[in-house]
């Protein structure tokens, strides 16, 4: 354990009521929590941990080394089993939903609880379920102080300081609702932290890689377009100008900042302003993907944007947007005259294959499978396939590490070499995502040009048929398009009906024809290889079996395998579209050579993997040496592991690498490296940082550090001015002000029965278990209502024996209308309750409207949400629709509806709509007692209306009895003689027969 973790734990233990800890990102929050858990003893009581994210929980379990393993409480455990766990004094992971239901059901002995640990405190609010849990625990344990027993402590943690300063006094409000009085701040520049991390730092090599001229051109063009979009947004006068900077636009939080400001007035914004918000998100992705992915994948993504956003986006019509598409194409291919190519073909060794097209006469039945055409200009497609500059540098760094180790071995340091092979011989390469890991692994196992060639083939094949190899009929239709439907990887899939000028939006028609012809050539090659491999070959033993398995795999994977079958010796290729990425093994490459001591290294890997129980896809194993060119003079490469930063695994503690290459710089991972080195001061560690020089990658990394420092400076100022009352009860911002003053004034008034105390009746609300995913039960409890959690078959909330409420948020309302679920829910409410209510609840920080006035058309369409609501109200006349502005408005509406109403019956509400096992029970409200078909038939009879069908049901027991009632009795039940005669004439009308 690092020493500053000991200081944090000491500060937490000083206050028996708990505290809130905010520390910098990457300072090993899982290790801190696991160290704190190791100090817990069963005699103190049960310690509950509200379940964090799965990755965070797995890291805590990995670092928890004591014999007492935490128990996870799930909904599958029966209630009596959960009760025994609550009293066992162990450490338990539990979800907030299960815990709040057990607390409200009085299934938890609160006297046996030692404390509550809450992780990810930055995601909480006053209306969250965690705040609801803490308030109930504190209210139920108020007598523990009087009995001189241990106080139940609340400890909250967060490693996202930027999120703790969003909004007005968020940290102070969280501390009030969590009953926490002390705030502990531990930034990276804190004295104890900085001294320990800088005491014995790792050896750092900062490598600045220059970008290619086309990458620089694309980056500058994107920044110009982003600046133009920000200037347009400033003109709207709807957003705070200080937040609209290009530096803020590099982060995901920028979208949240803009949407938080615009959500309350979203319905008043024009289409252009709304589109600008989406465009800024797209431009940020373009900047990120430029330095992350290869040239072909980047062009593929741009082609997708050209189709999906060509008519909606604002940025695509900016002055500099043309450069983005133009430079991206120049990184992959170029068009040239055939004469120029013939003259320069022999001198250019790095150029790719040339494909010559001679005209419109396409012959696809040639023996060599090429597509040739004749044009008047004679255009040739020349492959450029620009490599990412970091690929070469990464290879050089790996070779440099291998040479250093060879020199150490030759210098006679045998003991050191042996220790490094067993313990420190691993090189860790950290990338942003799994796709980058796979691609870099292919670049090391093969040559970068082979990787780009495979991506180029996939790109061309997607031009012809994105969903598999086409039939000959489809080929002819594709090669002779009269009206192009789109571009890029969606060519031929996304129909664009108004694209008469689609060819004009492409650089020229020749480029489109050249790409299609080149794609048809590769497609024909793949088809011939499929035919050849499916034919039986005279192979022996396992080879024949392998051929059969390959044939089956071709049939299963379709185009994905067809694209990869061009080069059999290139190992497994990964497509961006395929999410089920297979595990790549170094033994699948034919150019790989294995050392004699590989078995020892494999045993070391397996031991570490079994101890850590990390998913296999997290770690990618290579052999000790690779041969890039197949020659014997290739430089050796040490064992390499590729790690995806998005997986959030304790990779440093598992592998204990001797060298780390940070391919995609990340502030959080850099801090993890510092903590790892501080925990292992005697271990030699060398870290390489790969930055693109003068790129947004450097700017984003430096800006993330500045943003975190500014957040901690703001928190330090807030802490100096913070006012937390000693006897605070968790009711912050006057949430109960509307209830408590009224009751106190009633008690002290002598005008009401001479000052006699009024008996205040506690309101009860029966809530469905599934509704505890929302914050409404918490707000209802804050308003003084008693919450009864049960499983309801009909409705979400039962306010009285006659009032049932189905609550719908805006998103849920649209989805329920689409699936038809809302109709069935309203139908069951109308069947069993006299006053069925549909509550449509809006968000407090968003506009109180379905759509803006500009989006409402003149014509009435059945797909409109207003039309669907109107049809629902017409079909169920007794349905009441209530609109709520926010959660607190809903609580006020519930209190008004419950006025002068009886309290609901819990047992009766549970039985409503539940199928009976004992048959029909008299005076029961189960589903079998309600003959739905007979009622629907009755309501469709002539003369029967919504106002009289219930009287008819009360006056006769069946349809057979209705048919024999006299006319006078029918007139009495139906409210008029005319309606009775209409029904009687219908029932006694003769059936016409054919003579």
């Amino acid at each position: 354990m690092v020493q500053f973790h000991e200081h944090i734990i000491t500060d937490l233990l000083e206050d028996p009521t708990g505290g809130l800890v905010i520390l910098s990102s990457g300072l090993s929050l899982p290790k801190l929590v696991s160290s704190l858990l190791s100090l817990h003893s069963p005699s103190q009581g049960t310690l509950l941990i509200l379940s964090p994210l799965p990755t965070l929980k797995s890291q805590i379990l990995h670092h928890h080394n004591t014999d007492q393993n935490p128990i996870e409480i799930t909904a599958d455990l029966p209630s009596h089993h959960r009760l025994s766990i609550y009293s066992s004094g162990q450490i338990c992971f539990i979800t907030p939903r299960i815990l709040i239901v057990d607390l409200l059901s009085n299934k938890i002995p609160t006297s046996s609880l030692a404390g509550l640990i809450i992780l990810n405190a930055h995601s909480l609010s006053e209306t969250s379920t965690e705040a609801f849990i803490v308030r109930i625990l504190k209210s139920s344990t108020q007598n523990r102080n009087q009995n001189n027993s241990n106080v139940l402590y609340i400890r909250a943690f967060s490693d996202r300081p930027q999120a703790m300063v969003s909004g007005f006094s968020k940290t102070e409000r969280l501390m009030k609702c969590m009953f926490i009085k002390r705030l502990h701040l531990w930034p990276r520049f804190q004295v104890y932290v900085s001294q320990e991390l800088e005491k014995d730092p790792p050896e750092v090599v900062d490598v600045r890689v220059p970008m290619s001229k086309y990458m620089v051109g694309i980056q500058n063009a994107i920044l110009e377009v982003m600046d133009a979009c920000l200037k347009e947004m400033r003109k709207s006068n709807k957003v705070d100008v200080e937040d609209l900077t290009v530096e803020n636009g590099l982060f995901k939080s920028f979208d949240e900042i803009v949407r938080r400001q615009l959500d309350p007035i979203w319905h008043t914004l024009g289409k252009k302003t709304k589109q600008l918000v989406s465009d800024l998100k797209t431009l940020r992705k373009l900047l990120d993907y430029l330095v992350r992915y290869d040239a072909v994948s980047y062009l593929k993504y741009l082609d997708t944007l050209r189709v999906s956003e060509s008519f909606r986006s604002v940025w695509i019509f900016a002055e500099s947007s043309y450069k983005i598409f133009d430079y991206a194409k120049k990184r992959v291919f170029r068009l040239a005259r055939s004469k120029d190519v013939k003259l320069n073909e022999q001198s250019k060794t790095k150029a790719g294959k040339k494909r010559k097209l001679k005209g419109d006469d396409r012959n696809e039945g040639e023996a060599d499978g090429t597509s040739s055409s004749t044009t008047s200009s004679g255009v040739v497609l020349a492959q450029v396939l620009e490599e990412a500059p970091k690929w070469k540098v990464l290879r050089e760094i790996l070779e440099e590490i291998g040479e250093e180790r060879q020199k150490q071995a030759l210098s006679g340091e045998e003991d050191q070499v042996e220790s490094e092979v067993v313990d420190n011989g691993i090189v860790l390469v950290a990338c942003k995502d799994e796709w980058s890991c796979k691609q870099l692994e292919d670049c090391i196992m093969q040559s970068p040009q082979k990787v780009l060639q495979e991506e180029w083939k996939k790109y061309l094949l997607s031009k012809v048929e994105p969903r598999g190899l086409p039939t000959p009929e489809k080929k002819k239709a594709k090669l002779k398009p009269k009206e192009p439907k789109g571009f890029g990887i969606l060519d031929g899939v996304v129909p664009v009906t108004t694209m008469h000028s689609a060819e004009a939006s492409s650089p020229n028609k020749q480029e489109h024809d050249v790409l299609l012809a080149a794609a048809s050539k590769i497609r024909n090659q793949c088809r011939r290889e499929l035919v050849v491999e499916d034919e039986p070959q005279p192979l022996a033993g396992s080879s024949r079996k392998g051929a059969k398995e390959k044939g089956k795999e071709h049939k299963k994977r379709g185009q994905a395998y067809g694209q990869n079958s061009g080069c059999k010796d290139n190992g497994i290729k990964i497509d961006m579209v395929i999410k089920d990425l297979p595990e790549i093994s170094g033994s699948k490459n034919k150019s790989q050579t294995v050392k004699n001591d590989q078995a020892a290294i494999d045993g070391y890997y397996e031991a570490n993997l079994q101890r850590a129980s990390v998913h296999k896809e997290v770690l990618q194993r290579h052999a000790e040496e690779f041969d890039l060119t197949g020659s014997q003079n290739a430089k050796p490469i040490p064992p390499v592991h590729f790690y995806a930063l998005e997986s959030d695994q304790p990779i440093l503690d598992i592998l204990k690498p001797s060298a780390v290459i940070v391919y995609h710089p990340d502030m959080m991972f850099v801090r993890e490296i510092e903590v790892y080195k501080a925990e292992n001061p005697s271990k030699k560690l060398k870290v390489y940082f790969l930055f693109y020089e003068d790129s947004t990658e450097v700017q984003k990394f430096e800006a993330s550090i500045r943003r975190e420092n500014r957040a901690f400076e703001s928190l330090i100022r807030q802490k100096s001015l913070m006012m937390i009352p000693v006897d605070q009860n968790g009711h912050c911002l006057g949430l109960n002000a509307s209830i408590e003053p009224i009751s106190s004034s009633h008690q002290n008034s002598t005008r009401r029965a001479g000052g006699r105390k009024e008996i205040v009746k506690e309101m009860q609300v029966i809530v469905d278990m599934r509704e505890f995913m929302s914050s409404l039960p918490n707000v209802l409890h804050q308003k003084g209502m008693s919450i009864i959690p049960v499983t309801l078959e009909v409705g979400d909330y039962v306010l009285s024996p006659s009032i049932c409420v189905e609550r719908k948020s805006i998103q849920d309302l649209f989805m329920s209308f689409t699936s038809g679920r809302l109709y069935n829910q309203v139908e069951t409410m109308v069947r069993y309750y006299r006053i069925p209510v549909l509550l449509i609840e809006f968000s407090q920080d968003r506009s109180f409207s379905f759509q803006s006035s500009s989006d409402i058309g003149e014509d009435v369409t059945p797909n409109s949400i207003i039309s669907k609501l109107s049809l629902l109200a017409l079909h169920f006349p007794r349905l009441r629709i209530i609109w709520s502005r926010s959660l607190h408005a809903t609580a006020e509406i519930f209190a008004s509806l419950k006025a002068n109403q009886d309290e609901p019956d819990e047992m009766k509400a549970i039985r409503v709509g539940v199928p009976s096992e004992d048959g029909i029970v008299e005076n029961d409200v189960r589903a079998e007692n309600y003959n739905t078909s007979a009622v629907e038939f009755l309501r469709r009879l002539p003369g029967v209306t919504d106002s009289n069908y219930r009287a008819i049901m009360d006056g006769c027991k069946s349809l057979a009895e209705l048919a024999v009632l006299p006319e006078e009795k029918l007139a009495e039940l139906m409210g008029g003689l005319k309606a009775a005669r209409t029904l009687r004439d219908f029932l006694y009308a003769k059936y016409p027969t054919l003579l």
Side-chain angles (χ1 to χ4, degrees):
M1 184 194 305
V2 288
Q3 293 184 0
F4 65 86
H5 279 180
E6 298 179 1
H7 290 291
I8 296 174
I9 294 176
T10 303
D11 293 345
L12 280 174
L13 296 179
E14 287 180 357
D15 191 352
T17 60
L20 172 62
V21 178
I22 303 175
L23 69 163
S24 294
S25 301
L27 294 186
S28 299
L29 177 60
K31 293 182 180 179
L32 173 63
V33 176
S34 62
S35 302
L36 189 62
L37 296 181
S38 62
L39 301 178
H40 175 76
S41 63
S43 60
Q44 298 174 355
T46 304
L47 177 58
L48 299 179
I49 306 174
L50 293 185
S51 292
L53 298 174
T55 55
L56 184 58
K57 182 169 67 175
S58 64
Q59 292 187 47
I60 293 175
L61 293 175
H62 170 72
H63 297 297
H64 191 68
N65 298 323
T66 59
D67 297 333
Q68 184 182 3
N69 293 323
I71 301 174
E72 186 171 3
I73 300 177
T74 61
D76 299 333
L77 294 176
S79 58
H80 66 277
H81 192 185
R82 295 203 300 267
L83 178 61
S84 62
I85 294 177
Y86 292 141
S87 306
S88 63
Q90 300 184 19
I91 302 173
C92 306
F93 285 103
I94 188 171
T95 62
R97 179 181 170 186
I98 297 176
L99 181 56
I100 188 61
V101 170
D102 287 347
L103 282 173
L104 293 173
S105 304
N106 295 323
K107 296 179 181 178
I108 298 181
T110 56
S111 59
S112 63
L113 298 181
L116 183 69
I117 291 181
I118 301 174
L119 305 176
N120 298 327
H122 53 271
S123 61
L124 306 184
S125 64
E126 297 92 335
T127 59
S128 61
T129 307
E130 289 82 358
F132 193 7
I133 292 171
V134 173
R135 186 169 63 253
I136 294 179
L137 285 176
K138 286 294 184 179
S139 62
S140 61
T141 56
Q142 288 179 352
N143 297 327
R144 294 175 66 171
N145 292 336
Q146 300 176 0
N147 298 333
N148 294 325
S149 59
N150 294 328
V151 180
L152 186 142
Y153 58 82
I154 309 295
R155 290 168 182 161
F157 299 87
S158 174
D159 58 352
R160 298 289 187 273
Q162 299 92 335
M164 296 299 294
V165 295
S166 62
F168 179 75
S169 300
K170 179 178 179 178
T171 306
E172 183 176 353
R173 289 185 285 115
L174 280 182
M175 293 177 64
K176 286 183 178 180
C177 68
M178 302 298 292
F179 294 81
I180 294 175
K181 303 175 184 178
R182 293 192 62 180
L183 175 63
H184 308 278
L185 301 176
W186 289 86
R188 171 62 179 81
F189 54 82
Q190 209 268 354
V191 177
Y192 293 121
V193 179
S194 60
Q195 284 182 354
E196 186 167 8
L197 296 185
E198 297 171 4
K199 182 179 179 181
D200 191 8
E203 182 182 355
V204 178
V205 179
D206 191 353
V207 182
R208 299 299 173 111
V209 183
M211 293 192 297
S212 65
K213 62 177 182 178
Y214 291 136
M215 292 179 67
V216 174
I218 294 174
Q219 176 180 281
N220 294 336
I222 294 175
L223 292 177
E224 290 176 7
V225 175
M226 184 179 290
D227 189 45
C229 292
L230 291 174
K231 288 180 180 178
E232 287 293 327
M233 188 172 290
R234 292 190 193 103
K235 295 179 182 178
S236 62
N237 295 327
K238 304 289 185 181
V239 189
D240 188 3
V241 180
E242 294 181 358
D243 295 331
L244 296 182
T245 60
V246 176
E247 181 177 304
N248 290 337
L250 300 177
F251 298 93
K252 289 183 179 181
S253 59
F254 179 76
D255 303 330
E256 302 174 1
I257 294 172
V258 175
R259 285 304 299 263
R260 185 169 58 245
Q261 296 185 26
L262 295 180
D263 274 340
I265 56 173
W266 190 256
H267 61 292
T268 64
L269 299 178
K271 292 183 179 179
K272 184 177 180 180
T273 306
K274 294 179 180 179
Q275 187 59 42
L276 284 173
V277 177
S278 177
D279 289 348
L280 290 172
K281 182 178 180 180
T282 302
L283 291 171
R284 190 189 69 244
K285 286 184 178 180
L286 285 176
L287 276 176
D288 188 22
Y289 292 169
L290 176 65
V291 297
R292 191 190 299 188
Y293 299 131
D294 61 277
V296 183
S297 302
Y298 192 73
L299 178 61
K300 191 185 299 184
Y301 179 68
L302 280 176
D303 286 343
T304 309
L305 293 180
R306 187 194 291 275
V307 175
S308 60
E309 300 189 4
S310 58
F311 295 99
R312 298 178 302 165
S313 297
V314 179
W315 74 269
I316 209 167
F317 296 103
E319 184 178 356
S320 301
S321 62
Y322 172 76
K323 299 179 184 178
I324 301 175
F325 293 91
D326 186 43
Y327 291 155
K329 288 180 181 178
K330 289 181 179 180
R331 295 179 66 197
V332 180
F333 65 88
R334 63 184 178 87
L335 300 179
R337 300 287 183 182
S338 58
K339 296 181 180 180
D340 299 336
V341 174
K342 287 180 180 179
L343 293 175
N344 299 329
E345 191 173 9
Q346 295 180 354
S347 61
K348 291 188 178 180
T349 57
K350 266 176 122 181
K353 264 172 130 182
K354 276 77 176 178
R355 295 179 175 88
K356 186 176 178 182
L357 310 173
K358 290 187 177 180
D360 297 332
D361 185 16
R362 299 175 179 86
N363 183 13
E364 295 184 2
E366 297 179 1
D368 59 351
T370 58
S371 304
S372 62
S373 59
T374 303
T375 59
S376 59
S377 56
V379 178
V380 172
L381 177 66
Q383 298 178 13
V384 178
L385 300 183
E386 178 183 281
E387 297 181 15
K390 279 188 179 182
W391 289 1
K392 182 180 179 181
V393 177
L394 175 63
R395 177 77 189 191
E396 293 174 353
I397 292 175
L398 292 175
E399 292 176 353
E400 177 186 340
I401 295 174
E403 289 178 355
E404 289 180 358
R405 293 181 180 174
Q406 278 190 346
K407 291 179 181 179
Q408 291 177 356
L410 295 175
S411 63
E413 300 176 357
E414 297 178 356
D415 297 336
Q416 182 178 358
V417 172
E418 289 178 1
S419 64
E420 286 185 356
V421 169
V422 177
D423 186 37
N424 300 330
I426 304 170
V427 178
L428 179 66
V429 180
C431 304
K432 199 75 173 178
D433 52 11
E434 194 70 28
W435 159 251
S436 300
C437 293
K438 300 289 185 181
Q439 193 172 57
L440 287 178
E441 187 170 12
D442 284 344
C443 290
I444 300 299
M445 294 170 65
Q446 311 162 25
S447 66
Q449 278 299 322
K450 286 184 179 180
V451 176
L452 290 175
Q453 283 289 346
E454 283 298 319
E455 293 296 329
W456 172 243
K457 289 179 181 179
K458 296 174 188 177
Y459 174 74
L460 289 178
L461 285 174
S462 66
K463 289 281 185 180
V464 181
E465 182 63 40
R467 295 183 181 179
L469 295 177
T471 59
E473 291 77 9
K474 289 184 179 179
K475 286 191 299 184
K476 296 179 181 179
K478 294 289 181 184
L479 289 176
K480 296 181 180 180
K482 294 182 179 179
E483 295 182 359
K485 296 181 179 180
F487 301 92
I489 64 172
L490 299 180
D491 188 13
V493 176
V494 178
V496 184
T497 56
T498 60
M499 281 285 288
H500 296 293
S501 61
E503 296 177 0
S505 62
S506 178
N508 49 51
K509 186 177 183 298
Q510 290 179 348
E511 176 185 318
H512 191 259
D513 293 339
V514 166
L515 290 174
L516 285 179
S520 63
K521 177 182 177 181
I522 296 178
R523 178 195 57 192
N524 292 335
Q525 291 176 356
C526 293
R527 293 185 63 189
R528 286 201 309 274
E529 290 176 3
L530 285 175
V531 173
V532 171
E533 291 189 6
D534 288 337
E535 292 178 356
Q537 299 179 2
L539 300 176
S542 60
S543 300
R544 185 179 295 109
K545 184 185 292 186
K548 292 180 180 179
E549 291 177 356
K550 285 184 179 179
K552 293 179 181 179
E553 188 175 358
H554 280 302
K555 296 178 182 178
K556 290 180 181 179
R557 295 187 61 182
Q559 182 213 5
Y561 190 88
Q563 294 172 354
N564 299 335
S565 60
C567 298
K568 301 176 189 177
D569 58 343
N570 286 345
I572 300 176
K573 297 296 182 293
I574 299 93
D575 196 315
M576 288 183 67
V577 182
I578 302 174
K579 292 185 179 179
D580 298 327
L581 297 173
E583 182 178 1
I584 296 182
S585 176
S587 60
K588 294 183 180 180
N589 192 296
K590 292 185 178 180
S591 62
Q592 169 186 331
T593 59
V594 183
K595 298 286 276 187
N596 294 330
D597 56 352
Q598 186 63 40
I601 298 178
D602 291 343
Y604 170 76
Y605 291 155
E606 293 175 1
N608 281 294
L609 290 177
Q610 291 176 359
R611 184 175 69 253
S613 65
V614 181
H615 198 275
K616 292 182 179 180
E617 288 189 0
V618 177
L619 308 177
Q620 301 294 337
R621 182 177 63 82
H622 284 291
E624 185 166 353
E625 291 186 2
F626 295 105
D627 189 2
L628 183 63
T629 61
S631 63
Q632 298 180 355
N633 297 326
K635 297 181 181 179
I637 291 179
V640 183
H641 282 266
F642 291 92
Y643 168 64
L645 295 173
E646 62 184 9
S647 61
D648 288 335
Q649 296 290 340
I651 192 71
L652 296 173
D653 296 317
I654 297 171
L655 295 181
K656 301 186 182 302
S658 60
V660 179
I661 302 176
V662 185
Y663 190 84
H664 293 137
D666 182 75
M667 180 187 67
M668 187 172 180
F669 186 66
V670 172
R671 302 269 174 80
E672 292 177 2
I673 295 175
E674 290 182 320
V675 174
Y676 168 72
K677 187 61 175 67
E679 292 176 339
N680 303 276
S682 61
K683 185 179 182 62
K684 292 184 179 181
L685 180 63
K686 195 171 185 178
V687 182
Y688 297 85
F689 286 98
L690 296 185
F691 286 100
Y692 279 116
E693 192 174 6
D694 298 329
S695 67
T696 55
E697 186 179 41
V698 180
Q699 185 180 359
K700 184 177 179 180
F701 180 77
E702 296 174 350
S704 61
I705 299 176
R706 290 195 299 268
R707 291 173 72 242
E708 185 182 87
N709 291 339
R710 286 197 298 264
F712 271 111
E713 291 172 1
S714 176
L715 288 172
I716 293 172
R717 288 193 300 269
Q718 290 183 27
K719 183 179 180 180
S720 62
L721 304 174
M722 196 175 292
M723 297 175 60
I724 302 295
V726 177
D727 56 346
Q728 60 106 358
N729 55 4
H731 295 150
C732 54
L733 300 182
L735 295 178
N736 278 14
S738 59
I739 294 179
E740 294 177 356
I742 296 177
S743 60
S744 60
S745 61
H746 288 177
Q747 292 175 1
N748 298 331
S749 176
T750 57
R751 296 179 179 271
R752 294 179 178 271
R756 185 177 60 187
K757 291 186 178 180
E758 182 181 358
I759 300 176
V760 180
K761 183 176 65 173
E762 185 181 20
M763 294 184 178
Q764 294 181 355
V765 178
I766 298 177
V767 183
D768 186 30
M769 294 280 194
R770 291 159 291 219
E771 278 298 302
F772 284 93
M773 299 296 291
S774 68
S775 300
L776 183 56
N778 182 14
V779 178
L780 294 176
H781 187 268
Q782 287 178 341
K783 292 294 181 181
M785 300 183 187
S786 177
I787 307 299
I788 303 175
V790 297
T791 301
L792 296 177
E793 288 293 328
V794 180
D796 294 330
Y797 298 85
V798 179
L799 306 183
S800 70
S802 59
I803 300 177
C804 179
V805 179
E806 179 71 29
R807 187 190 71 89
K808 294 291 181 185
S809 61
I810 302 302
Q811 183 179 5
D812 191 18
L813 180 68
F814 279 84
M815 295 175 60
S816 299
F817 268 125
T818 303
S819 62
R821 182 163 47 95
L822 182 59
Y823 179 88
N824 298 328
Q825 291 172 338
V826 174
E827 185 181 21
T828 54
M829 284 198 303
V830 172
R831 179 187 305 176
Y832 295 113
Y833 290 95
R834 188 169 59 86
I835 307 177
V837 177
L838 173 63
L839 174 69
I840 302 176
E841 188 176 87
F842 290 78
S843 180
Q844 186 172 4
D845 55 350
R846 297 195 176 185
S847 59
F848 189 36
S849 63
F850 280 129
Q851 53 192 2
S852 62
S853 57
S854 60
D855 296 336
I856 300 177
E858 298 179 357
D859 298 333
V860 178
T861 59
N863 295 328
S864 173
I865 186 67
I866 303 299
S867 301
K868 293 179 180 179
L869 277 174
S870 302
L871 291 175
L872 188 69
L874 289 173
H875 194 79
F876 301 103
R878 290 194 298 111
L879 177 66
R880 301 293 181 260
I881 300 178
I882 296 179
W883 311 81
S884 175
R885 183 66 181 85
S886 63
L887 293 171
H888 299 284
T890 302
E892 296 290 346
I893 292 172
F894 280 10
S896 301
L897 291 176
K898 286 183 64 64
N900 302 323
Q901 292 282 339
D902 295 333
E903 296 300 328
D905 186 356
E906 179 181 353
M907 298 306 299
K908 185 177 180 181
I910 294 175
R911 294 199 313 271
V912 169
V914 179
S916 173
E917 298 178 357
D918 303 329
I920 299 176
V921 181
E922 189 175 358
N923 296 328
D924 201 354
V925 290
R926 297 178 186 268
E928 284 79 358
N929 295 346
Y930 204 95
N931 194 342
T932 308
S933 302
V935 174
E936 292 296 330
F937 180 80
L938 172 66
R939 296 183 65 180
R940 283 165 173 76
L941 293 177
V944 180
T945 62
D946 292 330
S947 59
N948 59 17
Y949 82 95
R950 287 188 174 276
I952 298 174
M953 292 171 59
D954 295 337
C956 55
K957 296 182 179 180
S958 63
L959 291 174
E961 184 179 347
L962 175 66
V964 297
L965 283 180
E967 188 174 344
E968 294 79 8
K969 182 66 174 177
L970 277 177
E972 180 182 350
L973 295 177
M974 300 181 69
L977 186 61
K978 181 178 179 181
R981 287 179 178 177
T982 303
L983 177 60
R984 191 167 183 80
D985 292 343
F986 173 78
L987 293 176
Y988 285 92
K990 293 184 178 181
Y991 185 77
T993 58
L994 297 177
L995 298 176

